C-alpha cells in the first residue's frame, strides 16, 4: 500500500456483515485520514459490489463462515498470511471469531504490530450446547491466546459479559481490552414515527433466521397470542449455519396463519414504524443485537432475553422487558402485557430512544474506534 496516509485493512468473514455493520466505520476512518481496504469472502456479489462502489479496494479471501474442514481452514490462514505480507498494512481490524483467530495468527507470523480485534458476539462457538460446539470451544482457547498476544493487540468487546469471560479464561489481559457497545446506528435514519392505526398491532421479529436467535420461541408465543396481534417476521437465511431455520418451516408457519413472513427488507426504519414492539428471544452469543438498537432508536419497546448483549440495550422496565432465555411462557406474558398497554409501549419507546442517543449512536462508535486506531499507531 503506497500511500502517505496510514493504511487500514478490515478483515471480515462475509461481505454482507461488513456492509451492514462496518461499512460506515470504514468510511469514517477514510474521512479521518486512513487509507482503507477490505478483505472478506467474495461469495455475496451484491455486497461485494457495494464495497467496490464505496471505492474501497477489495481483496477476496476463502473464508467459509461456518465451515470446519481443517484443510480449508488452514488454506484460509495461509492466504491471510500471504495477503498481509504483500500489503503490509499499518493497522489491521479483524471482525468476528474466524478473522480474529486466523488474522491474529497471520499478523504475528508477518510481524504486524498494530491489530484491532473486534468480537461482535461469541456466536456458535460459545453458545452451542452440542459436542461439536464444546469441542470447538476447547480447541479455540489456545488459538485465541496465540492470536491475541502481543503488545500492539487490542480486543474490542460489545458487552461486559464477553469481556469478563475472556479475561477470566485467561485469553487476554484486561489492559488490552476495550468496551465499545455495538456497531452503532444513525439516529437521523432510525428515528421515531407514529404507529399507524390498525385493527391489530404488529409484533416484529427481525434478524437472521436462526433457531438460537429465538425464532422458534417467537412463533410459539405467536401461537398463544394469535388473536391479539400480527406477528411479522423479517430477515434472511444463513443456509450454511447449523442453526438455520429451513425456508419450508417458515412457509409452513405462514400457511398455518401464525406469522406474516416478509423475507429480507431494506427499508427497516419503515418496518419498525409499522410495529408496536420488537421481540428478539435470543439465546445466541450476541454482541449487542443491532436490531434492538435500531428498534430503540425508532422508539419501539422491546422484549428480549436476559442474555449477554441483549441486556446491554434493553433495560428491564425502562425500554422493554427481559425474560429468561428459552422461557416461552414468560415471553408470552411479557408480550401480552405490552400489547394491552400501548401507553407503556410509548413510554418505553421514548426511553429507548434516549438510551441510544446517550450510548449507541454510530458517531460515538466511530469516534471511539478511530481513537483506538490512533492510540495503536502512536505506539508503533
Amino acid at each position: 500500500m503506497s500511500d502517505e496516509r496510514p493504511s487500514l485493512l478490515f478483515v471480515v468473514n462475509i461481505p454482507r456483515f461488513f456492509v451492514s455493520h462496518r461499512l460506515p466505520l470504514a468510511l469514517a476512518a477514510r474521512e479521518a485520514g486512513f487509507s482503507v481496504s477490505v478483505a472478506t469472502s467474495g461469495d455475496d456479489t451484491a455486497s461485494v459490489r457495494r464495497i467496490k462502489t464505496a471505492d474501497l479496494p477489495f481483496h477476496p479471501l476463502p473464508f467459509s463462515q461456518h465451515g470446519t474442514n481443517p484443510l480449508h481452514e488452514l488454506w484460509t490462514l495461509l492466504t491471510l498470511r500471504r495477503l498481509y505480507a504483500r500489503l503490509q498494512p499499518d493497522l489491521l481490524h479483524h471482525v468476528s471469531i474466524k478473522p480474529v483467530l486466523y488474522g491474529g495468527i497471520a499478523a504475528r507470523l508477518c510481524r504486524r504490530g498494530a491489530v484491532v480485534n473486534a468480537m461482535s458476539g461469541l456466536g456458535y462457538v460459545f453458545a452451542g450446547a452440542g459436542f461439536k460446539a464444546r469441542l470447538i470451544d476447547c480447541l479455540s482457547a489456545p488459538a485465541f491466546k496465540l492470536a491475541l498476544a502481543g503488545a500492539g493487540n487490542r480486543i474490542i468487546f460489545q458487552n461486559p459479559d464477553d469481556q469478563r469471560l475472556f479475561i477470566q479464561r485467561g485469553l487476554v489481559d484486561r489492559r488490552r481490552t476495550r468496551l465499545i457497545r455495538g456497531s452503532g446506528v444513525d439516529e437521523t435514519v432510525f428515528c421515531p414515527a407514529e404507529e399507524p392505526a390498525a385493527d391489530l398491532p404488529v409484533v416484529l421479529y427481525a434478524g437472521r433466521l436462526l433457531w438460537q436467535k429465538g425464532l422458534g420461541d417467537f412463533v410459539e408465543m405467536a401461537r398463544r397470542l394469535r388473536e391479539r396481534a400480527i406477528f411479522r417476521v423479517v430477515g434472511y437465511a444463513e443456509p450454511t449455519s447449523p442453526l438455520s431455520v429451513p425456508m419450508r418451516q417458515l412457509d409452513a408457519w405462514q400457511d398455518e396463519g401464525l406469522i406474516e413472513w416478509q423475507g429480507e427488507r431494506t427499508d427497516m426504519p419503515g418496518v419498525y414504524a409499522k410495529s408496536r414492539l420488537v421481540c428478539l428471544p435470543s439465546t445466541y452469543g450476541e454482541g449487542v443485537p443491532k436490531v434492538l438498537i435500531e428498534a430503540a432508536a425508532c422508539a419501539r419497546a422491546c422484549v428480549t432475553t436476559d442474555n449477554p448483549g441483549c441486556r446491554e440495550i434493553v433495560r428491564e422496565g425502562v425500554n422493554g422487558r427481559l425474560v429468561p432465555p428459552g422461557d416461552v411462557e414468560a415471553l408470552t406474558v411479557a408480550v401480552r402485557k405490552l400489547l394491552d398497554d400501548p401507553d407503556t409501549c410509548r413510554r418505553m419507546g421514548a426511553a429507548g430512544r434516549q438510551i441510544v442517543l446517550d450510548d449507541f449512536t454510530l458517531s460515538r462508535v466511530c469516534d471511539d474506534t478511530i481513537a483506538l486506531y490512533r492510540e495503536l499507531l502512536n505506539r508503533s
Side-chain angles (χ1 to χ4, degrees), residues 162-179:
D162 293 353
Q163 183 183 33
R164 188 161 44 247
L165 176 65
F166 266 60
I167 293 168
Q168 288 175 346
R169 290 193 180 187
L171 302 180
V172 65
D173 187 286
R174 178 185 297 275
R175 292 168 295 182
R176 291 192 284 107
T177 68
R178 295 292 186 276
L179 185 63

Side-chain angles (χ1 to χ4, degrees), residues 72-109:
H72 186 88
E73 302 307 296
L74 178 60
W75 173 247
T76 303
L77 173 59
L78 294 176
T79 303
L80 270 171
R81 182 183 181 278
R82 285 197 298 271
L83 180 67
Y84 293 178
R86 176 167 61 88
L87 298 180
Q88 297 189 15
D90 297 310
L91 178 66
L92 289 160
H93 188 144
H94 304 133
V95 183
S96 73
I97 288 177
K98 277 192 177 182
V100 167
L101 283 174
Y102 302 168
I105 293 170
R108 296 203 69 191
L109 292 173

Side-chain angles (χ1 to χ4, degrees), residues 54-361:
D55 200 24
L56 295 172
F58 175 75
H59 306 279
L61 290 171
F63 270 119
S64 171
Q65 186 181 6
H66 301 106
T68 55
N69 181 294
L71 291 179
H72 186 88
E73 302 307 296
L74 178 60
W75 173 247
T76 303
L77 173 59
L78 294 176
T79 303
L80 270 171
R81 182 183 181 278
R82 285 197 298 271
L83 180 67
Y84 293 178
R86 176 167 61 88
L87 298 180
Q88 297 189 15
D90 297 310
L91 178 66
L92 289 160
H93 188 144
H94 304 133
V95 183
S96 73
I97 288 177
K98 277 192 177 182
V100 167
L101 283 174
Y102 302 168
I105 293 170
R108 296 203 69 191
L109 292 173
C110 293
R111 299 184 179 181
R112 307 318 302 163
V115 182
V116 172
N117 299 290
M119 298 299 295
S120 54
L122 302 186
Y124 177 65
V125 172
F126 292 89
F131 171 76
K132 182 178 180 181
R134 293 196 303 272
L135 178 62
I136 293 172
D137 183 8
C138 179
L139 294 176
S140 68
F144 270 121
K145 289 182 180 180
L146 177 61
L148 299 175
N153 259 285
R154 296 293 181 272
I155 179 165
I156 296 173
F157 294 97
Q158 293 194 356
N159 66 71
D161 296 275
D162 293 353
Q163 183 183 33
R164 188 161 44 247
L165 176 65
F166 266 60
I167 293 168
Q168 288 175 346
R169 290 193 180 187
L171 302 180
V172 65
D173 187 286
R174 178 185 297 275
R175 292 168 295 182
R176 291 192 284 107
T177 68
R178 295 292 186 276
L179 185 63
I180 299 177
R181 291 178 169 87
S183 51
V185 297
D186 185 340
E187 73 280 8
T188 66
V189 174
F190 292 89
C191 51
E194 193 72 26
E195 180 187 356
D199 293 334
L200 289 174
V202 172
V203 180
L204 176 68
Y205 172 98
R208 288 181 291 163
L209 305 174
L210 304 177
W211 291 110
Q212 282 191 297
K213 287 280 188 176
L215 185 51
D217 288 349
F218 178 88
V219 174
E220 180 55 34
M221 177 267 296
R223 187 187 304 277
R224 300 180 186 192
L225 299 176
R226 61 192 305 172
E227 303 301 327
R228 291 175 175 262
I230 295 169
F231 295 90
R232 186 167 292 159
V233 175
V234 170
Y236 60 92
E238 280 190 352
T240 63
S241 171
L243 313 176
S244 186
V245 178
M247 288 297 101
R248 64 180 181 276
Q249 180 64 74
L250 284 151
D251 292 336
W253 285 332
Q254 175 153 284
D255 291 344
E256 194 179 344
L258 297 176
I259 62 170
E260 182 186 278
W261 159 231
Q262 294 195 342
E264 186 174 3
R265 297 281 295 269
T266 58
D267 57 334
M268 288 307 296
V271 173
Y272 294 122
K274 294 177 181 177
S275 307
R276 175 165 298 177
L277 60 95
V278 174
C279 180
L280 185 74
S282 177
T283 60
Y284 192 72
E286 304 282 1
V288 179
K290 192 172 185 183
V291 62
L292 295 179
I293 305 175
E294 292 175 348
C298 291
R300 291 306 183 255
C302 300
V303 178
T304 188
T305 49
D306 190 8
N307 214 37
C310 297
R311 56 177 170 251
E312 281 304 293
I313 177 63
V314 178
R315 287 73 184 281
E316 168 60 29
V318 178
N319 64 317
R321 297 293 184 190
L322 295 173
V323 301
D327 190 334
V328 177
E329 179 59 30
L331 179 70
T332 303
V333 170
V335 171
R336 183 176 64 240
K337 287 183 176 179
L338 287 177
L339 287 174
D340 291 342
D341 192 351
D343 289 339
T344 294
C345 283
R346 284 189 286 270
R347 174 180 60 78
M348 287 182 167
R353 172 73 177 178
Q354 190 58 52
I355 288 171
V356 170
L357 294 178
D358 289 343
D359 293 316
F360 291 92
T361 62

Side-chain angles (χ1 to χ4, degrees), residues 8 10 25 34 91 93 369-377:
L8 165 62
F10 280 89
L25 171 61
F34 290 83
L91 178 66
H93 188 144
T369 307
I370 292 170
L372 178 58
Y373 293 164
R374 289 180 170 140
E375 173 189 322
L376 283 176
L377 290 176

